Each structure stands twice: as C-alpha cells, then as structure tokens.
Amino acid sequence: SYELTQPPSVSVSPGQTASIDCSGDVLTKQYAYWYQQRPGQAPMLLIYKDTERPSGIPERFSGSSSGTTVTLTISGVLAEDEADYYCQSADPAMTYRIFGGGTKLTVL
Amino acid sequence: QEQLAQSGAEVKKPGASVKVSCKASGYTFTNYYMHWVRRAPGQGLEWIGRINPNNGETDYAQKFLGRVTVTTDTSIDTGYMELIRLTSDDSAVYYCAGALYNGLDVWGQGTTVIVSS
C-alpha cells in the first residue's frame, strides 16, 4: 500500500514563510491535494493537482512538486493560519485515497 | 451553493452499529462521487470509502472492508455510511465529502460518534 509522510509539526513567526513537505512514491504517479483543518471545523481544500488553488483561497497559499515530494508553502503567515494541514493523493488505479499523517502549524 | 448536511451525534455501545447520513444540496447529486473520511481524537484524517451515486459502485479502504457499507438514496440526494461491530477505536468525527470539481472540495460539518460502554 502507498503512504504519504509529513512532519508532525512546523512552527513559524507571523509574517514569515512556512513550508510543509509531503513525500511518497505515489506522488510520481498521482496528483497531490492539500487541506487545512482548523480546530472544530471540517477540512477545507487549499491546493489541488499539486499547484492549483481553488477560487477563494488566498494567494499566500501555494503548492509545488518535485519527484516524490510535494510542498505546501504559506507566505506571510497569519495567526489564523494556525491549523492542521494534510496532503492527500490516490493509488495509481484511483480506487482509494491516501492522507498524510498531518502537520500541525503553530504560529508563534 | 453546494452543501452537505450531516446527521447528529451518536453514542453507541461496543459491538453496535452506526449509520450516518449526509444530504446534498446545490448540485446534481448523481454527477459526483461522495467520500467518507474520519478523524479520531489525536489522530489524522483517515479515508474510509467512496460511492458513485450514479451507479452505486463503491470502493473501500482495506482497513474497513467487511465492516463498512456506503450507500445512497438518489430520490432524496442523501448518502449513508454504516459501520458495524464498533469498538472504542471507532470513536471519531465522521465526514462526508463531495468530489465535485477538484479533490474533495465540499465537506459536511462532521458527525461525532462516541463508542463507550
């Protein structure tokens, strides 16, 4: 089975840039998606197909991809960005979905 | 506006079953897959399975095979997730999510399921 690996936590000061990596072999075959989940709320799609941003998502959120690693970058971090972030992909046959373990972003 | 509205919280005893509902509005229900995801306390998001409301075809995570059934009632634009033989490890918030355009882009508000004797 395929796995996605994320760091458990990332800390950043307000106004700085945060980067969260997600790695896994399946990322050379399938796109990655990123979700933000604030405490007590449902997840929200931030990035789709590695680099694309849905309408309504601020430009400070961006995604990139290189080989077996995808990266979510948050530029000019705000206090409201403190949340859990998850990468997600699919098996090559697109029959099941895979989530990374999640990264807790702390804004210092 | 596309929305998913889930049923209320449930408290179940070990060994029991739970069935969570998810009513769609604002889009054509049969055109898009519905997925189910859960988050247990202190854990991350976990994909459970999905259904194509157009033809009823389902896919499930290996971990849940034999214990979960995902269905839809297209007459009322509602999806269901039933989990049987509950244990304390199944205590979690369960979400339905619609794959409408790109990724899981519409989510229900979540349904808390507590399994306790």
Side-chain angles (χ1 to χ4, degrees):
Chain A
S1 62
Y2 293 93
E3 295 183 349
L4 297 175
T5 301
Q6 300 179 232
S9 63
V10 168
S11 299
V12 65
S13 298
Q16 300 301 304
T17 296
S19 294
I20 300 173
D21 288 340
C22 170
S23 61
D25 290 340
V26 74
L27 296 175
T28 62
K29 305 178 180 65
Q30 292 290 357
Y31 286 120
Y33 300 77
W34 288 95
Y35 301 86
Q36 176 194 65
Q37 187 175 31
R38 295 189 174 112
Q41 295 186 16
M44 178 177 67
L45 179 67
L46 283 181
I47 298 289
Y48 66 93
K49 291 184 179 179
D50 292 349
T51 62
E52 302 299 314
R53 199 172 45 246
S55 61
I57 300 301
E59 291 184 7
R60 66 178 187 276
F61 292 95
S62 63
S64 61
S65 175
S66 179
T68 60
T69 299
V70 293
T71 302
L72 173 69
T73 301
I74 311 172
S75 305
V77 168
L78 304 175
E80 67 192 46
D81 298 332
E82 187 161 285
D84 295 322
Y85 292 85
Y86 294 89
C87 60
Q88 176 254 306
S89 189
D91 70 299
M94 292 284 286
T95 56
Y96 65 88
R97 302 296 184 266
I98 311 152
F99 282 99
T103 298
K104 181 176 180 58
L105 178 69
T106 300
V107 181
L108 301 171
Chain B
Q1 182 183 3
E2 304 94 348
Q3 290 186 331
L4 295 171
Q6 298 185 224
S7 49
E10 303 263 12
V11 180
K12 297 291 182 180
K13 293 199 181 304
S17 303
V18 68
K19 190 170 187 177
V20 179
S21 68
C22 174
K23 181 170 177 58
S25 61
Y27 71 94
T28 302
F29 180 64
T30 51
N31 283 3
Y32 306 99
Y33 279 90
M34 176 174 281
H35 295 245
W36 289 88
V37 176
R38 76 179 186 183
R39 185 174 184 184
Q43 304 296 312
L45 297 176
E46 184 173 33
W47 186 79
I48 298 171
R50 69 170 184 174
I51 186 167
N52 181 344
N54 187 52
N55 58 20
E57 289 186 355
T58 54
D59 294 295
Y60 299 119
Q62 181 78 20
K63 173 178 179 176
F64 297 100
L65 283 175
R67 276 210 312 139
V68 69
T69 304
V70 172
T71 57
T72 58
D73 183 341
T74 57
S75 69
I76 55 172
D77 291 348
T78 299
Y80 302 91
M81 189 281 305
E82 182 176 24
L83 191 61
I84 65 173
R85 298 197 302 271
L86 294 169
T87 72
S88 57
D89 289 342
D90 294 315
S91 294
V93 179
Y94 288 76
Y95 297 98
C96 57
L100 271 60
Y101 307 111
N102 296 287
L104 304 178
D105 41 16
V106 180
W107 291 72
Q109 81 276 21
T111 297
T112 298
V113 175
I114 297 172
V115 183
S116 175
S117 55

